[in-house]
Structure formats: structure tokens, C-alpha cells
Amino acid sequence: QVQVVESGGGLVQAGGSLRLSCTVSGLTFDAYTMAWFRQGPGKERERVSCIRPAGSTTYADSVKGRFTISRDNSKNTVFLQMNSLKPDETAMYYCAVTYGANCYRAGPDWPYWGQGTQVTVSS
């Protein structure tokens, strides 16, 4: 049974930083592509960042230069370092897992999701 557990969300002031973590169990972690998605109030879900098994990454244009995704295969964990946070980035942040190396799969093609971790950025 695959489990995906996020942590690290919280309340931060605009301009602040948070580091999200996502730990996965029940699969061969280093064979999977990992991504962070977010969904804010009244907004559609969007892909924030993605990291492939070999370590290459993608970022949404809105977060380039401020967010960094990384993975520690020895700990089955992916991280999202978020700097210079903005109030409109208040959202539930979700970790998702898919097999292979395609970061651009549609939502239904990511078979494993965590429960989400709330990030609130105050102005």
C-alpha cells in the first residue's frame, strides 16, 4: 500500500520561507517522478514543481527563482523550499507521485496523492 505524507506547511508572513516535505512508502521511490501541486481558494489546481527520477526539475513560471524542489532517495522524501512567499500563494499544497519521467501528466495520471499541507501567507 502506497502512502504519501506531506508536512511543513504553516502560517508565514509575506516574504518569508517554508520548507515542505513529502515522504512516500510502499513503492520504489527512486523510479518515480514527484511533484508538488497547489490549490488556493477559488482557484484551479496547478503544478508548482516536479522532479524526475534522475533529478531534473521543472517549475511553474510564477515560482522560478524562489522555489527549489529536491529529493533524497535514501529517505524516500521530496522537499520544496519556498522563499519570498506571496499572499496569493496561500493554498493547500499536495505531493503527487507518478511512474516514469513525465512531469506533464494530467492530474488523473498521477496515481498517488498526499492529503495536503496548508500554507497560509499573510500580508
Side-chain angles (χ1 to χ4, degrees):
Q1 182 179 355
V2 177
Q3 289 189 316
V4 182
V5 180
E6 303 101 331
S7 62
L11 174 64
V12 64
Q13 289 188 332
S17 299
L18 283 174
R19 188 191 194 207
L20 306 183
S21 299
C22 170
T23 300
V24 182
S25 60
L27 50 73
T28 306
F29 183 79
D30 59 7
Y32 286 77
T33 288
M34 308 292 299
W36 289 96
F37 290 77
R38 66 186 178 190
Q39 187 166 18
K43 298 181 180 180
E44 294 187 353
R45 182 175 59 193
E46 65 170 331
R47 183 184 301 104
V48 175
S49 185
C50 178
I51 186 165
R52 299 179 179 92
S56 61
T57 59
T58 68
Y59 295 94
D61 287 344
S62 61
V63 307
K64 285 180 180 176
R66 298 186 298 118
F67 288 16
T68 302
I69 191 170
S70 61
R71 64 191 295 161
D72 184 341
N73 290 339
S74 70
K75 297 181 179 179
N76 285 14
T77 300
V78 61
F79 304 97
L80 185 68
Q81 178 67 44
M82 306 186 294
N83 298 329
S84 302
L85 282 161
K86 305 174 182 179
D88 65 359
E89 294 181 309
T90 293
M92 187 70 80
Y93 283 69
Y94 298 93
C95 178
V97 186
T98 192
Y99 187 78
N102 185 358
C103 281
Y104 299 104
R105 295 177 187 268
D109 293 326
W110 293 78
Y112 306 114
W113 291 79
Q115 79 290 348
T117 186
Q118 178 68 39
V119 172
T120 302
V121 186
S122 63
S123 57

